[in-house]
Structures are given as structure tokens and as C-alpha cells.
Amino acid sequence: MFCRGIRGATTVEHNEAEEILSATGELLRAIVEANDFRPEDICSVFITVTEDITATFPARAIRTMVGWELVPLMCSLEVPVENSLPKCIRLMVQVNTVKSQAEINHIYLKEAKALRPDIVKLTNEAAR
């Protein structure tokens, strides 16, 4: 068994609590589906947001998901690099698994697909 990191990112159009919570839930569900694990397999989830997301903590979306109540979550600000993707939510899900690094599926949604087009392409090819 190994501890593997699963990356994911998404964006929101508006700094509004409901949109942030919805986007975070959508991203985590996509990561779970693509990698086939349960909350009991999770070590922790590290969440970052760009400095223009201030309406709510994205972790709130995860805390309300059934089975995720005991998973350690932490929110932080992303490094504010000039010209970086705005209104972006990133997840680093640390999971206990027997899968190799090559078997892990990282998920990028909405405008965040531009962050790692190489991974988005690999994920799309694997889905075919």
C-alpha cells in the first residue's frame, strides 16, 4: 500500500459561496469516480484557492459529503503568481492505495484544464 497524491483543479465564474461549494463538490466527486476509492482510503485533502476566492471555505463542501466527516481537510491560499489562472480551486487528495503513480487519474475541470493540458489529454485518452 502506498500514499499517493491525486491532483485536481477547477474554476468558478463568481466569488459566491454556492458556486464555490458546488464546484468543489463536483471536482472531488470526479476525482473519486476516476480513481475508485472510498473516504476511508483518504489520508487528507489539501485545498488551495486563489486570492480572489473569499466567499467561503471550499472545505465546507467536502465536510457535508456522507462518509467524509472524519477526513482531515485544510484550506490555504495559492501562491499569487502574476497572470495565473483566476478564481481557481485546487485539491491535493492523499489516498492510501495499491495503484501505481501511472494508474492515478488527475482531474482538471472548466478553465483549469489550461493548467495541465498534458494530463487532461492523457485522462481523455484513457477514458476512450
Side-chain angles (χ1 to χ4, degrees):
M1 179 98 33
F2 304 98
C3 182
R4 302 283 187 210
I6 305 173
R7 287 286 316 227
T10 191
T11 56
V12 294
E13 291 185 25
H14 306 98
N15 181 31
E16 296 174 354
E18 288 307 313
E19 187 176 351
I20 294 164
L21 297 174
S22 176
T24 303
E26 174 187 33
L27 177 59
L28 183 59
R29 285 188 296 278
I31 289 171
V32 168
E33 183 178 323
N35 290 283
D36 190 33
F37 61 80
R38 304 165 315 199
E40 299 83 40
D41 301 325
I42 304 303
C43 299
S44 62
V45 180
F46 188 64
I47 306 156
T48 66
V49 296
T50 49
E51 59 189 349
D52 48 6
I53 295 180
T54 59
T56 192
F57 294 102
R60 283 183 51 215
I62 300 170
R63 285 190 187 106
T64 63
M65 295 171 67
V66 175
W68 289 82
E69 304 87 357
L70 300 177
V71 174
L73 308 172
M74 177 155 311
C75 292
S76 182
L77 279 177
E78 187 69 33
V79 177
V81 175
E82 284 184 39
N83 301 314
S84 62
L85 184 64
K87 294 188 180 73
C88 188
I89 302 165
R90 292 174 173 90
L91 301 182
M92 172 67 77
V93 180
Q94 296 176 309
V95 60
N96 292 310
T97 183
V98 295
K99 292 182 180 184
S100 69
Q101 287 283 17
E103 294 174 296
I104 297 296
N105 296 301
H106 306 279
I107 304 296
Y108 292 84
L109 304 176
K110 302 177 185 171
E111 300 301 316
K113 289 178 181 179
L115 295 172
R116 292 296 306 267
D118 56 325
I119 290 177
V120 171
K121 181 181 180 201
L122 287 173
T123 302
N124 289 342
E125 288 173 0
R128 290 184 207 163

